[in-house]
């Protein structure tokens, strides 16, 4: 198994924030699957969803994971889109890529972080809390099943979260 740390969790759970922090403080390599896709496609996630739909985006996610494995990516903090772990095939690919860490965050925290966000197509229009709760209900168990380590991030600093990852 490659020596990567994979951060999974709901939109707004802090995956990118944590990986940026680790990169800046420990000089580790980091990679984000959404950024990778945006670079490949040369358009935003919103544009991809609007033009080609979610299904197409999910195919891109799987192909990115395969590429990372083919490229033998190692020693990297990899943050992945919130919906990526849901597909079973992706679950297997994640396991091969490294240690899967689920950053768990409460719905109220997520609502607060996402309330002004315009970059996540799945959360636009309608009642935000309801959307988050519905998606979370479908996803939570899968996140837990995919994870080698589950961290309840409530009240934890980035350093405390990272320490948890390192000691487990
Ligand atoms: C999605 C999460 C987003 C992005 C896309 C779909 C999801 O990534 O991949 O908008 O289905 O949860 P973040 O989790 O980084 O926001």
């Amino acid at each position: 198994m490659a020596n990567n740390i994979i951060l999974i969790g709901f939109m707004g759970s802090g995956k990118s924030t944590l990986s940026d922090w680790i990169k800046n403080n420990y000089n580790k390599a980091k990679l984000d699957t959404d950024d990778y896709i945006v670079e490949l496609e040369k358009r935003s996630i919103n544009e991809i969803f609007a033009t080609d739909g979610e299904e197409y985006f999910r195919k891109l996610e799987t192909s990115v994971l395969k590429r990372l494995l083919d490229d033998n990516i190692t020693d990297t903090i990899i943050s992945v889109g919130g919906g990526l772990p849901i597909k079973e095939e992706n679950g297997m690919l994640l396991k091969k890529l490294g240690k899967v860490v689920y950053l768990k965050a409460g719905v109220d925290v997520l609502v607060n972080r996402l309330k002004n966000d315009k970059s996540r197509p799945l959360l636009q229009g309608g009642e935000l809390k309801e959307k988050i709760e519905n998606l979370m209900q479908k996803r939570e168990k899968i996140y837990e099943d995919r994870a080698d380590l589950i961290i309840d991030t409530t009240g934890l600093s980035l350093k405390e979260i990272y320490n948890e990852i390192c000691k487990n």
Side-chain angles (χ1 to χ4, degrees), residues 9-13 15-16 32-34 45 49 54 57-58 61 80-84 114 119-122 135 139 143:
F10 205 82
M11 295 170 263
S13 59
K15 295 162 293 184
S16 308
D32 180 83
T33 57
D34 283 342
I45 307 278
F49 269 69
E54 181 173 354
F57 177 74
R58 299 300 172 202
E61 289 187 316
V80 308
L84 181 146
L114 295 165
S119 68
R120 273 105 167 175
L122 294 182
L135 268 180
R139 291 181 174 181
Y143 288 145

Side-chain angles (χ1 to χ4, degrees), residues 65-122:
L65 293 182
K66 287 181 175 162
R67 262 202 204 203
L68 299 183
L69 282 166
D70 284 347
D71 291 347
N72 289 314
I73 294 287
T74 187
D75 274 317
T76 300
I77 312 293
I78 304 172
S79 50
V80 308
L84 181 146
I86 306 308
K87 233 177 61 184
E88 194 160 350
E89 180 183 12
N90 293 353
M92 324 263 262
L93 296 169
L94 287 176
K95 285 255 177 281
K96 284 191 197 162
L97 261 181
K99 174 162 146 183
V100 180
V101 178
Y102 169 31
L103 300 182
K104 194 171 169 144
V107 171
D108 289 335
V109 171
L110 297 176
V111 170
N112 213 27
R113 288 182 187 158
L114 295 165
K115 62 183 179 229
N116 296 317
D117 182 82
K118 296 276 172 277
S119 68
R120 273 105 167 175
L122 294 182

Side-chain angles (χ1 to χ4, degrees), residues 22-38:
I22 298 171
K23 175 181 188 256
N24 293 334
N25 287 276
Y26 297 90
N27 204 20
K28 282 230 173 212
K30 71 142 212 179
L31 192 154
D32 180 83
T33 57
D34 283 342
D35 293 345
Y36 198 111
I37 288 171
V38 167

Side-chain angles (χ1 to χ4, degrees), residues 116-131:
N116 296 317
D117 182 82
K118 296 276 172 277
S119 68
R120 273 105 167 175
L122 294 182
L123 300 180
Q124 302 314 304
E127 225 275 297
L128 180 63
K129 187 167 185 180
E130 209 174 292
K131 279 182 186 263

